[in-house]
Amino acid sequence: MVKINESVNRVFLLRFDSGREAIARFPTPLAGPSHFATASEVATIDFLRRRLEFQIPPVLAWSSRAEGTDVGAEFILMEKASGCLLSNVWGDLPTIERGVFAKTLGECERRLLELKFTHYGSLYYKDDVPASLRAPTLLEGISPDDELNSVFCIGPIARRDFWEAERGSMNIDRGPWCTAEDYMTAVARREQEWISSFGTSHFLDDPNRILPGQGSRDDHVAVLSLYTTLVPIITPPLHEQVRPVMWHPDLHASNIFVKHSEELSKNSPALPLAVSSIIDWQGTWIGPAFLQLQVPPLYRMDGVPPGRRLPTLPENFEDLGEREKAEAEANRQRRLHHKLFEAAVYPPPILNMGAHQQRVYLEDLAQVTWKYGLIPFRMALWDIYDHWEDIISEGTCPVEYSSEYLDELRARYQMWLRHHELLEDMDREFGLGEFGLVKGDRDQFEKVKSAVERKKKEYIEGGNDDEAKMVRSFLWPYRDTLRDGDVIPPLVLQSARTQADTPAGGQTQHGLEL
């Protein structure tokens, strides 16, 4: 038995005397709710293999009850996936083959749209969910006597954000839900209740929560209430846009196994790679189509035009230098691959939906306002206001913005962006993962830690005067966020004080230029 990975799960490769190999996974406390996360993943794998013959390694043994196992832990034992990891060959693929695989992967994922679920939530075996937490039906058009109905059900959502920290012990609405509005409202109310009772600093908080304008508890609760008033309006009207859809929650290159097409079929030499398996269905849920159908990180790009419009080169392309031209060409090609995936997957009501990404981004941020702060969420609300005609053809947005408030918001958002770029640059420089994760042994950790300390001194000394140096020290991104205090006050230095004003929304704001 050899450990091959550890993050939210501990993963081991098992080699048996017979020569067979299997994968054993043990969830850590970060993986999600005990019992529900494991039970839902196993049921989802079994369901997809039965209903769609989906390419997923079969589960050989499992338990979602730690106390009932000899090893004292939940586990999943499954066959080793066939083929090779896409991440191992991706760097060697020519651009044209990457484009072809965007269509291949999209057509594989599109098969999930064949499933016509009736409710929103996570999938389980019926015996693993109390009757009071089961949706009354599973799929459209099948009889109550169907075998699938007797085995499976839709139950509470197993997604981690509904169970993180104190949320796991709170009496909150985790579904199953009948409508998309019910789900979206439940997210906001969950966060309001948690913030009101438990909203204190956490080591997983984004370090830029300390920036001015990120909001106190009351601010978060108030802005989330504003969001709930918009939910019925920003929820798209067509059934195809909101129908319950199951989708892979983390489709990156290390969860996709591939084979060269000639290994699978002699009839498709034009397709250099075929999907042999997709793994890691942990946290899978059934959600509104317009939120679920997303381009995977492998192909996702910013700046992609909506609908059927294709990416183009910048208007000043001919005026660019050779390096800039090459970069612009490469970015357009990557955006075309993004579009290829959309074209292979999205039904027309999703592809042509107005303000699609604005709606998705706002719902994403509603789940994490306390972790990342209110600045990006407020900017996402502004984007909804700015795209109102794309959402509803008649009527005006119930949220109004004064020019003073908008100027203040934009200034703070630009500050937030600058500090995020700083953090991303340093993460790349030091090879850090999410939340400052250092890959390697203790010696590597100490080496990186010393380099970060040197960089911190250089950064602080780069201030023009003592006041600027103090600001830089305060805003240095690698910080113990537990010491930030549970209510973040605006940072207003003596030389930068301005008279407080009260913009739209009635919240007092202070100005600061850095």
Side-chain angles (χ1 to χ4, degrees):
M1 186 168 76
V2 179
K3 183 188 284 188
I4 58 176
N5 190 28
E6 180 167 358
S7 54
V8 297
N9 299 286
R10 296 182 179 92
V11 186
F12 297 85
L13 173 64
L14 279 61
R15 294 189 175 94
F16 298 94
D17 292 341
S18 64
R20 292 186 65 186
E21 293 181 324
I23 299 295
R25 284 181 41 209
F26 299 87
T28 71
L30 296 175
S34 59
H35 170 64
F36 287 104
T38 298
S40 178
E41 181 175 10
V42 171
T44 298
I45 292 171
D46 187 19
F47 179 88
L48 292 176
R49 286 176 55 83
R50 290 196 203 192
R51 185 71 176 185
L52 298 179
E53 297 184 352
F54 213 81
Q55 300 103 317
I56 311 173
V59 173
L60 304 175
W62 67 284
S63 177
S64 62
R65 308 286 188 183
E67 66 279 3
T69 68
D70 293 337
V71 293
E74 298 181 37
F75 71 90
I76 299 176
L77 181 67
M78 59 197 312
E79 283 189 7
K80 184 182 177 184
S82 62
C84 66
L85 278 174
L86 179 60
S87 56
N88 291 341
V89 299
W90 186 253
D92 298 326
L93 284 182
T95 299
I96 189 170
E97 292 190 12
R98 293 186 182 190
V100 171
F101 188 73
K103 185 173 183 291
T104 300
L105 183 62
E107 289 174 345
C108 179
E109 278 284 277
R110 186 182 174 88
R111 294 178 60 206
L112 294 171
L113 299 182
E114 298 173 21
L115 303 169
K116 308 291 187 181
F117 292 102
T118 59
H119 290 74
Y120 308 86
S122 291
L123 196 70
Y124 299 90
Y125 294 120
K126 274 190 170 180
D127 291 344
D128 287 321
V129 180
S132 61
L133 297 179
R134 301 175 197 159
T137 53
L138 177 67
L139 292 171
E140 295 177 7
I142 65 172
S143 72
D145 299 327
D146 189 283
E147 181 187 1
L148 290 176
N149 268 333
S150 66
V151 176
F152 299 98
C153 70
I154 300 173
I157 190 168
R159 211 173 64 193
R160 283 197 298 269
D161 55 297
F162 273 84
W163 302 85
E164 280 183 327
E166 297 85 0
R167 296 174 187 83
S169 60
M170 293 172 60
N171 183 23
I172 55 178
D173 181 6
R174 298 186 181 88
W177 300 281
C178 295
T179 70
E181 290 180 29
D182 289 343
Y183 155 73
M184 294 168 70
T185 302
V187 169
R189 289 179 177 163
R190 174 200 82 196
E191 288 304 286
Q192 286 178 310
E193 292 180 32
W194 181 84
I195 290 167
S196 296
S197 300
F198 303 105
T200 57
S201 296
H202 190 274
F203 75 97
L204 294 182
D205 288 345
D206 185 285
N208 289 317
R209 274 188 73 252
I210 202 72
L211 291 172
Q214 290 285 51
S216 66
R217 284 194 186 103
D218 290 344
D219 294 331
H220 283 256
V221 171
V223 177
L224 284 167
S225 290
L226 175 61
Y227 166 73
T228 60
T229 67
L230 293 176
V231 163
I233 307 173
I234 64 176
T235 303
L238 301 180
H239 174 70
E240 191 70 17
Q241 295 168 331
V242 297
R243 74 176 181 89
V245 166
M246 178 182 285
W247 206 245
H248 193 286
D250 193 19
L251 197 61
H252 58 70
S254 292
N255 282 335
I256 303 168
F257 285 78
V258 295
K259 285 185 177 180
H260 289 285
S261 60
E262 57 266 23
E263 296 179 39
L264 301 176
S265 169
K266 299 294 184 182
N267 299 323
S268 57
L271 301 179
L273 289 179
V275 176
S276 61
S277 190
I278 295 177
I279 63 169
D280 192 6
W281 295 82
Q282 191 173 69
T284 299
W285 70 296
I286 301 157
F290 81 102
L291 298 176
Q292 291 279 69
L293 271 61
Q294 293 292 305
V295 176
L298 193 64
Y299 290 108
R300 191 180 305 153
M301 280 287 288
D302 293 330
V304 178
R308 299 185 179 278
R309 292 164 48 199
L310 294 178
T312 60
L313 293 170
E315 292 182 1
N316 64 337
F317 179 76
E318 295 301 329
D319 298 328
L320 300 176
E322 291 305 313
R323 176 184 289 183
E324 289 80 8
K325 281 185 176 180
E327 183 177 349
E329 286 276 15
N331 284 336
R332 183 183 68 152
Q333 193 65 50
R334 292 176 62 195
R335 292 185 177 107
L336 283 170
H337 292 169
H338 177 120
K339 275 294 174 188
L340 279 172
F341 185 91
E342 284 187 353
V345 175
Y346 290 14
I350 299 289
L351 184 64
N352 300 322
M353 189 173 74
H356 185 190
Q357 288 309 311
Q358 285 77 15
R359 302 186 213 217
V360 171
Y361 188 49
L362 182 65
E363 196 275 333
D364 280 346
L365 290 175
Q367 304 169 26
V368 288
T369 68
W370 188 258
K371 183 178 290 186
Y372 292 101
L374 281 182
I375 292 174
F377 188 57
R378 282 176 164 145
M379 201 66 199
L381 283 168
W382 154 254
D383 266 352
I384 291 293
Y385 172 83
D386 196 37
H387 288 81
W388 195 251
E389 292 182 358
D390 297 324
I391 295 171
I392 186 168
S393 57
E394 297 179 359
T396 58
C397 180
V399 182
E400 292 291 335
Y401 288 87
S402 69
S403 59
E404 294 83 3
Y405 176 76
L406 187 55
D407 288 344
E408 183 81 14
L409 175 60
R410 284 172 172 162
R412 285 180 170 165
Y413 185 64
Q414 289 304 313
M415 183 193 297
W416 182 84
L417 286 176
R418 288 198 303 272
H419 285 279
H420 260 282
E421 289 168 0
L422 171 67
L423 179 60
E424 289 171 359
D425 288 345
M426 286 193 288
D427 280 351
R428 283 192 291 269
E429 180 180 346
F430 299 118
L432 300 180
E434 191 175 17
F435 307 119
L437 174 67
V438 177
K439 295 182 179 180
D441 55 18
R442 183 74 188 184
D443 289 341
Q444 176 65 14
F445 174 78
E446 294 297 337
K447 181 180 178 181
V448 172
K449 182 180 177 182
S450 296
V452 169
E453 287 298 320
R454 289 194 298 271
K455 187 74 173 184
K456 178 180 180 180
K457 289 181 180 179
E458 293 174 8
Y459 176 73
I460 293 173
E461 290 302 316
N464 295 327
D465 51 36
D466 290 343
E467 188 177 277
K469 290 177 182 178
M470 187 181 82
V471 171
R472 285 181 167 233
S473 174
F474 188 72
L475 296 175
W476 174 251
Y478 300 120
R479 210 177 52 252
D480 182 357
T481 52
L482 291 176
R483 297 181 181 179
D484 288 345
D486 68 351
V487 178
I488 307 301
L491 171 62
V492 184
L493 300 177
Q494 189 64 38
S495 65
R497 290 190 184 277
T498 60
Q499 185 176 2
D501 64 293
T502 305
Q507 297 167 9
T508 301
Q509 311 269 335
H510 293 270
L512 173 66
E513 291 186 6
L514 295 180

